[in-house]
Each structure stands twice: as structure tokens, then as C-alpha cells.
Amino acid sequence: MRVLVAGGSGFIGSHLCDSLLADGHSVIVADNYITGRKRNLQHLADHPHLTIIEHDITNPLHVEVDWIFHLASPASPVGYMRHPIETHVTNAVGTHQLLQLAQRLGARFLFTSTSEAYGNPLEHPQSETYFGNVNPVGPRSCYDESKRYAESLTMEYVRQFNLDARIVRIFNTYGPRNDPNDGRVIPNFITAAKSGQPLVVFGDGSQTRSLCYVSDLVRGLRVVMQEPELAGEVFNLGNPDERTILELATIIIEQCGSRSQIQFEPARQDDPERRCPNISKVRSMLGWEPTVSLEDGLQATIEYFSAYETLPV
Ligand code: UDP
């Protein structure tokens, strides 16, 4: 297949490119590097089936493809709060551009939404039928609400134009190529633990997250795109292995063999208290479930961070 990966230079996008190219697909990456990084695709620079275009998806893109994966958006809280307007516009105007492209080409479309669409959830674990509990004017709303808007727009293209579009809600994902500066919990904790600095826990650390290793997540994206007859379907992708942030800090200190302490700081505004995907739908319809344990995934991520300074920029 000819595949467009919008946001292909990002953390998850770059792993998706690896996976698609390994299976013989031709890949075009469009990325404006607002949070994506050139180093993530450096190892594929000479690949004959990869084309990288520096492009902002809020502008029209002229390519011929069969599949469009839309992963283009800042996605970490620090990343989207640093670029709130760009996050809004990318998910609104950028998604519209890509939907128009898909419609014109008759291409299959996969929109990557987020567990943030559920906000600070009142239903636990979160299933796809839950409407969410989102603060529409809070500091996270540039991401939550623009992703919700983009989901809605995608569904209109399914209803109005029979576009073959699917939506995936990605829960917290980690692994090699996590940006050490994007403020996410795992890169922050590993960087601190390795340098003997305190691990900063926001709030009392009782808030939970369910962490999915990137190879599992990419396999899920591939399955949702590949399967026929899924137009208009929404799937959670994530690992239901729920942990508190305090537990995560303790595990990372131990796995890094670190003497770092844990330091508590005030909670972030609107920080979701609990987050855990219900993955029964994707498991029963598509047979997908994560296979990499938190401990194994963290080990591989810690190794990546250990080699980070020596990797090509
Ligand atoms: N967190 C933390 N210390 C950090 C970074 C994050 O305690 O250095 C907490 C954060 O408050 C949240 C959780 O870890 O409860 C996950 O945060 P992250 O930024 O990775 O993503 P989120 O799931 O909030 O989108």
C-alpha cells in the first residue's frame, strides 16, 4: 500500500513508519516538526520506500495514497500547553484537510484521538461508549476539545460521504524515542533517576495511568487500519495494567538502580485522577491486546535513554 503518516516524525509515528516499511509498504511522512523530531527517522533516511515532506497539515497536501494515518498533533501535556493554538488548529483545520484528501482519493483514514477525550473520567475503566468529563475551558482543553472536535468531524465524513474512517483513542504510551524534554511522566522519571535527581510527583501520586509499550500500540494501529468494514468504529488502544504514579516512580528508581528520592509538588490543574482503558471491544472484534509487561517495556526504554546522547541527532 501507499501510506501517508501525518506526524510520522513523532514518537509513535516513527515506530509506525518502521513497522509499515518492514512489511513492504511505501510511506510518505508529513511533519512540521512542531513536536516531531528529525532524529526519530534518521535511521530510515536512505530507505527507498520512504519520502519525508516538511509540511504543516493545515495546508493542502497533494499526494496519492491508499491509507492515511493521522497522528499529527502535539500530544504531551507540556507539548500542547506550549503550543495551545497550534494544537487547536492542527486538530481542527489539519484534520479537515486530511479528511478532504482522503475523500478525494477514496483513501482509508485513521484518526488518532486520545484517552483525554474522556477528561477526568467518572466511568472506570473507560469504554468507547463513555462520553467523558472534560473541562471545556481548562488548560488541557486545547487538546481534549480539539481531539473531540476532530472525532466529530471524522464521523461526519463517514456519515455524509461514506468515508472509510476509523478512530483510535490512544492511552498513555511510552518506549524508545520518547522525547526526554516533552514532560511526560516516564521520560521525566527515567531522566531524573539516571542522574540521581529527585523524581517529581505531582499531587500525592495516587492518580493512576495505564501504560502501553509502543510496539503493542503500533500493532494495534496496524490492525485497526488493515481490517475491512470498520468505517465509523472507535477503538480504545492501551494497556489496562493500571498503576499509581507513586508506584511507577518506585519501579523506575529500582529498575534504574538509582538512589533518587521522590519529591511531591502541587497537582496539575485538571489532572485526571484515574485512567484505564476498557479494551474488550478491540480484543473481541480484532483480537488485539498488549503483550509487553511494564517492567520489560521500562527496561527497553531505560536502555534507550542510556544510549540517548550517543544516538545520531
Ligand atoms: N507526572 C508526575 N511527574 C512528572 C510528570 C508527570 O507526577 O514529572 C504525573 C502527571 O501529573 C499525571 C501523570 O504523571 O498524573 C501522567 O502525566 P503525563 O504528563 O505523562 O501525561 P497525561 O497522562 O497527564 O496526559
Side-chain angles (χ1 to χ4, degrees):
M1 293 285 175
R2 300 163 304 169
V3 187
L4 171 64
V5 181
S9 295
F11 158 53
I12 296 176
S14 66
H15 286 280
L16 177 61
C17 292
D18 282 333
S19 166
L20 290 164
L21 290 167
D23 285 349
H25 298 288
S26 292
V27 176
I28 298 173
V29 164
D31 205 301
N32 68 351
Y33 303 110
I34 188 168
T35 52
R37 298 182 303 156
K38 289 187 177 164
R39 66 187 292 160
N40 287 341
L41 292 177
Q42 193 66 44
H43 61 291
L44 297 173
D46 299 323
H47 198 292
H49 298 138
L50 175 68
T51 306
I52 302 175
I53 307 171
E54 184 162 355
H55 175 80
D56 181 336
I57 58 156
T58 60
N59 298 314
L61 180 61
H62 302 285
V63 293
E64 298 285 328
V65 291
D66 308 294
W67 289 349
I68 298 174
F69 286 92
H70 176 10
L71 291 87
S73 170
S76 78
V78 166
Y80 59 69
M81 288 186 212
R82 198 179 282 152
H83 304 289
I85 308 291
E86 291 88 342
T87 302
H88 268 295
V89 175
T90 299
N91 282 311
V93 180
T95 301
H96 194 208
Q97 286 287 359
L98 293 181
L99 284 166
Q100 287 175 298
L101 176 66
Q103 184 194 4
R104 185 162 51 76
L105 298 175
R108 190 176 284 180
F109 186 86
L110 188 154
F111 177 63
T112 59
S113 184
T114 168
S115 54
E116 288 275 316
Y118 301 120
N120 189 11
L122 304 177
E123 174 179 305
H124 194 81
Q126 296 82 55
S127 46
E128 291 87 348
T129 49
Y130 177 49
F131 294 169
N133 177 39
V134 174
N135 175 356
V137 293
R140 299 178 87 109
S141 68
C142 60
Y143 187 61
D144 303 8
E145 294 292 23
S146 66
K147 285 287 188 184
R148 288 167 66 93
Y149 169 82
E151 286 197 18
S152 171
L153 189 63
T154 301
M155 288 306 294
E156 286 313 328
Y157 269 74
V158 174
R159 283 190 281 261
Q160 305 298 321
F161 308 118
N162 286 322
L163 188 75
D164 186 357
R166 300 102 196 267
I167 294 171
V168 164
R169 296 191 183 129
I170 299 178
F171 284 64
N172 294 64
T173 301
Y174 71 99
R177 299 188 206 141
N178 257 151
D179 182 344
N181 300 313
D182 77 3
R184 283 197 173 92
V185 65
I186 287 189
N188 275 10
F189 282 1
I190 293 177
T191 308
K194 287 181 62 57
S195 60
Q197 298 298 309
L199 278 66
V200 174
V201 168
F202 298 126
D204 63 5
S206 64
Q207 70 270 39
T208 66
R209 292 296 186 270
S210 307
L211 298 147
C212 188
Y213 189 64
V214 66
S215 60
D216 280 332
L217 197 283
V218 164
R219 186 166 45 80
L221 293 175
R222 295 280 315 271
V223 168
V224 173
M225 181 61 106
Q226 263 156 238
E227 198 70 17
E229 311 289 327
L230 292 183
E233 294 290 347
V234 181
F235 294 100
N236 286 338
L237 285 184
N239 191 327
D241 177 11
E242 183 182 7
R243 311 281 183 128
T244 67
I245 293 302
L246 197 52
E247 186 185 355
L248 183 65
T250 311
I251 295 171
I252 289 179
I253 289 172
E254 192 184 311
Q255 282 194 224
C256 288
S258 168
R259 291 166 170 263
S260 288
Q261 304 291 309
I262 293 173
Q263 181 179 312
F264 293 92
E265 290 194 4
R268 288 172 169 173
Q269 188 188 335
D270 295 339
D271 199 344
E273 287 152 39
R274 299 187 74 184
R275 188 183 287 156
C276 181
N278 178 342
I279 59 165
S280 337
K281 181 177 175 183
V282 66
R283 189 188 270 137
S284 63
M285 280 178 70
L286 304 176
W288 178 86
E289 63 185 352
T291 59
V292 180
S293 70
L294 179 63
E295 285 71 15
D296 287 351
L298 283 177
Q299 203 50 47
T301 312
I302 291 165
E303 282 163 22
Y304 170 79
F305 278 93
S306 298
Y308 188 77
E309 296 308 333
T310 62
L311 295 172
V313 178

